[in-house]
Structures are given as C-alpha cells and as structure tokens.
Amino acid sequence: MFHSDFLPMLKNNLRLCQILKCVPFEFDSKTGRLIKAKSFGHILLFRVQCVLSVMYIAALFLNLCFGPLTTTAKFQGFTFFMVYFVASWMKFNYSLDMAGTQVIHTFLDFEKYILKDTPTFELSLGAKIMKLFIQVAEISGFSFVILQLILLQCVPCTAPFIFSMFPNCGEMADKTSWMLMLAVHIFETWMCLQMIFGCTVYIFYLLCAGIICILFYFRIIENKISTLQSDQDTKKCINLYRCIQILEKFFNAYPMNKVIPVMVFGIPTMEIISLFISINFYDKIAMPGFLLFPLLGLNTPLNNICVLTMASLVHNSSDKILGVLKKKIMGLTCHSGRKRSIINRELRACSVLKVKFGSNYIDRGTPLVIQNFCLNQTMSLTLVKANKMAG
C-alpha cells in the first residue's frame, strides 16, 4: 500500500524539496529508503532555513503585537502568521533528527516482510479520497505562495510582512526602488515556499499515508477472519494484529508530539481566522490576493473532515475487528479446552489501536467537535464585529 501508492507521490514531492533544500534527507534509489542528505551545503542551507524561520516568525509576531497596524490588518496578518508558525513548527529540525523517516521505513519494512505473501486489494473509497486530498493540498500550497507574491506586489504594506513594520509604509513604498521591493517580496515568498513544502512530508506522507495504510492492513485482517477454519489461521490473524499494534506504537511515537497537536489545534485556528476574514473583510483586501483567505478557508475544513475522520476510523475499525475476531473464535469447534483458553488470553492482550495526541486520542466525534467549534467561533467573532459597528 505505502510502497505502491504513496512512495511514488513522496518521490515527486521530494524533487521540489531537494531544489529548495527544505528537508534534511533525500531518497536513495539504491536502498529505496530516505537517508540523511550527503551534501554539506544541503545540510547547511537547511539549518540556515530553520534559524531564519524562527527569526522571521518572531519578527512577524512582534509586528502583530506592537507594530503600527489597524485591527483589520492584525486579523489579516494573524492568518499568515499562523500558516508560517504551523509550517515552521513541523519543519524545524536543526538537530537533523531522522525519527520521522524511520516511521516511513517501518511501513515499508512491514509491507516487505510481514505482508509479502498477502494478496492485493483495490483501494477503498477512503484511500482514494485521501490520495486526492494530498494532491489538492499540494497544489493549494503552491497556489498560496503564488497568490501571496501577487498580493505583496499589489499591496506592499500587507500585514504582517516586512514593509508593514514601518509606520510610513505608504511613503516608503512610493520612494523605494522597485527592484529592492521585488527582492524583499521574493525573499518573503521563498520563506513561505520552503516552510510550506518542508512540512508536507510530515503531514501528507507520515500522518495521512500512515493512517490510510493502517486502515488498509485492517482490511487484510478482515479478509483473513472471514476465512478462519483452523487453529493455525487464528494464530496468524492474532499475530498480524499484534504486528499492526507494534506498528501503531512506532507511528504514534513521532506524530503524537509534533504533527497531531498542529492538526488538532493549529489548523482549526487558521480556519477560524480565514473564514472570519473571508466573511467580514472581503471588500478591504485587494484581489487577487484576497483569494488566499477563501483558499485557506476551504483547505482547513477539508483537513478536519478528511484527515481526522480517517484517524478516527483507526479506533473504530480496530474495535470492530477485535469484536468480530472474538465472535468468530467462539464459533469455531476446533478451539476447545486449554487451546481456547490460550487463544482468549492472546486476544485479550490485543488492545484497541488509536491515533493519539498527548494523553488523548481521536475518536469518531473529534472531527465534528472541532468543526462545530470552528464555525461557532467564526460566528461569534462576526457578531462581535457587527455589534461594535452598530454601537
């Protein structure tokens, strides 16, 4: 599943990442694995990007807090700040930690050694939707960068970018050489491009692809359960589930601390602000730069609906499989006495799998709760603005 469907997409993504030097690893065609970049210049430029990203985000934050910006400009600027903060949080890897790539290698090894004799299945509807979501999100990420450049060219004083940090921004824009302005805008576009594409590997090919692969492995177990006939078949099913259980531990070890908190807290914040701006400030932001906000407002709910729904299915499908397996074992006449007791103990040792964030996990209600929260907060901000204007 990962090797046949997601690895080719990951290779294509890494081609642009190698040009930008926004990830500290590269794909080795000989071993078929992700390895630490061999070029010293690659590693140096990546670390420079990490440091620049922190300094740039700190400057944007200080500008939002203390800069000469109106309330409208602060709301607008906070959207860009959240995009950069979320992307930089996931991309930052100054120590060149390869834990994320090791999780990807675990999926590749699992399919190579554990599932080597397993027949292939057609992709489920959820897997097809997730693949489409990844492709749409990658195109949207590049579109976001282009639209930002256009917005900066049309309105150089757009918050929270560099020129908006000066009180006399309008006069500066008129007096500054167009070549200098273009150079500053290209720098800011490059910062955006390397941060966004530097985090795509972790969101799309670690989290999203990992979730879909686990769900695909559950389908394999379901197929085996439907053909259970002997004690040997039962042991194979339980052993395969245990292997997936170990895989889940590896999978949760990295995303739990870095990716999932952003998906659960950072992206909903981006959705709230982008929807609020799209509804209330559509007449105050120049086109086509304004299209950034509806684009962001469309992609963030898609993330909540697609990614978190698929993540919740890990818990639901796991619980369902354990229940079906237990009923199937109870109905088999080949298990009796001590043999059945041993199998029941092995089955009880198999826990329900979950995609975790902190000490919590994503269940089937999480996407709806988050989306309901985002819509409620957007409407609350809109009503507050309307009341202030009426007053």
Side-chain angles (χ1 to χ4, degrees):
M1 175 67 180
F2 196 104
H3 190 276
S4 60
D5 292 287
F6 291 108
L7 188 59
M9 295 171 64
L10 174 59
K11 290 179 186 178
N12 292 332
N13 179 275
L14 285 176
R15 289 193 181 100
L16 179 58
C17 292
Q18 292 305 305
I19 295 172
L20 295 171
K21 304 293 187 292
C22 58
V23 291
F25 47 81
E26 57 192 24
F27 185 79
D28 185 3
S29 56
K30 293 182 180 179
T31 60
R33 294 291 186 268
L34 297 172
I35 61 171
K36 189 178 292 185
K38 298 176 181 178
S39 169
F40 174 77
H42 184 148
I43 296 298
L44 178 62
L45 184 55
F46 173 77
R47 282 179 160 164
V48 168
Q49 289 177 9
C50 289
V51 174
L52 280 177
S53 297
V54 173
M55 296 172 62
Y56 185 65
I57 290 170
L60 297 185
F61 179 73
L62 292 173
N63 186 31
L64 287 173
C65 293
F66 308 108
L69 303 175
T70 63
T71 303
T72 302
K74 286 185 177 181
F75 272 111
Q76 181 182 345
F78 187 71
T79 307
F80 290 104
F81 170 77
M82 281 304 302
V83 171
Y84 290 163
F85 178 77
V86 165
S88 181
W89 172 271
M90 285 186 285
K91 179 199 166 178
F92 189 85
N93 186 13
Y94 190 85
S95 62
L96 309 180
D97 182 17
M98 298 294 286
T101 60
Q102 292 304 320
V103 176
I104 294 175
H105 294 165
T106 304
F107 280 98
L108 293 173
D109 290 338
F110 184 86
E111 293 181 359
K112 182 178 180 180
Y113 298 109
I114 306 298
L115 303 180
K116 58 182 177 180
D117 298 324
T118 304
T120 57
F121 292 92
E122 184 182 354
L123 287 179
S124 65
L125 178 61
K128 291 178 181 177
I129 290 174
M130 188 63 78
K131 285 186 68 175
L132 180 62
F133 167 76
I134 291 173
Q135 292 167 350
V136 170
E138 286 183 335
I139 294 171
S140 297
F142 190 76
S143 301
F144 183 89
V145 176
I146 298 301
L147 287 171
Q148 177 186 299
L149 178 60
I150 295 172
L151 177 62
L152 290 175
Q153 285 295 99
C154 296
V155 188
C157 296
T158 300
F161 299 106
I162 292 175
F163 278 109
S164 69
M165 298 177 184
F166 301 96
N168 56 341
C169 176
E171 297 177 9
M172 280 187 61
D174 294 334
K175 296 177 181 178
T176 304
S177 166
W178 69 270
M179 292 186 65
L180 178 60
M181 289 183 61
L182 182 61
V184 173
H185 294 160
I186 290 175
F187 167 76
E188 295 190 293
T189 302
W190 171 74
M191 290 294 295
C192 180
L193 189 65
Q194 55 92 2
M195 280 192 277
I196 286 179
F197 278 89
C199 74
T200 54
V201 173
Y202 303 106
I203 294 180
F204 300 145
Y205 302 104
L206 179 58
L207 179 65
C208 299
I211 290 169
I212 291 299
C213 287
I214 290 174
L215 293 173
F216 177 77
Y217 304 153
F218 284 159
R219 289 180 64 198
I220 295 174
I221 294 182
E222 287 176 346
N223 183 63
K224 289 181 177 293
I225 291 174
S226 64
T227 59
L228 276 182
Q229 292 181 345
S230 65
D231 178 50
Q232 194 69 21
D233 292 337
T234 304
K235 286 184 177 179
K236 285 181 179 179
C237 275
I238 293 176
N239 287 338
L240 179 56
Y241 188 91
R242 283 179 168 178
C243 291
I244 298 175
Q245 193 172 351
I246 295 171
L247 181 66
E248 178 245 11
K249 301 300 181 187
F250 278 100
F251 175 72
N252 275 321
Y254 187 84
M256 182 176 72
N257 296 323
K258 198 165 187 179
V259 181
I260 294 294
V262 165
M263 304 294 283
V264 175
F265 301 110
I267 291 181
T269 303
M270 290 162 52
E271 178 182 350
I272 293 168
I273 302 301
S274 60
L275 288 176
F276 174 72
I277 291 174
S278 300
I279 294 170
N280 295 280
F281 300 120
Y282 62 89
D283 57 341
K284 298 181 180 179
I285 301 174
M287 293 289 287
F290 171 76
L291 295 176
L292 280 167
F293 302 97
L295 179 67
L296 199 58
L298 177 64
N299 278 275
T300 45
L302 280 176
N303 167 80
N304 294 337
I305 293 169
C306 294
V307 180
L308 297 183
T309 299
M310 291 295 127
S312 69
L313 288 178
V314 171
H315 175 266
N316 299 339
S317 300
S318 174
D319 190 36
K320 177 184 174 183
I321 284 173
L322 289 177
V324 171
L325 184 58
K326 186 175 182 180
K327 289 180 181 178
K328 188 74 173 179
I329 291 173
M330 294 295 289
L332 291 176
T333 56
C334 62
H335 302 316
S336 59
R338 184 167 179 267
K339 197 176 285 186
R340 171 171 288 185
S341 176
I342 292 172
I343 290 175
N344 284 335
R345 286 201 298 271
E346 290 179 346
L347 194 57
R348 283 197 297 271
C350 297
S351 60
V352 177
L353 307 188
K354 306 164 185 175
V355 177
K356 297 180 179 179
F357 59 99
S359 59
N360 301 311
Y361 66 93
I362 298 173
D363 63 11
R364 62 184 179 181
T366 304
L368 292 176
V369 169
I370 290 178
Q371 198 56 39
N372 183 58
F373 172 79
C374 291
L375 294 176
N376 284 339
Q377 294 305 309
T378 301
M379 294 311 299
S380 296
L381 287 172
T382 301
L383 290 173
V384 169
K385 179 181 179 294
N387 290 336
K388 284 187 175 181
M389 290 181 66

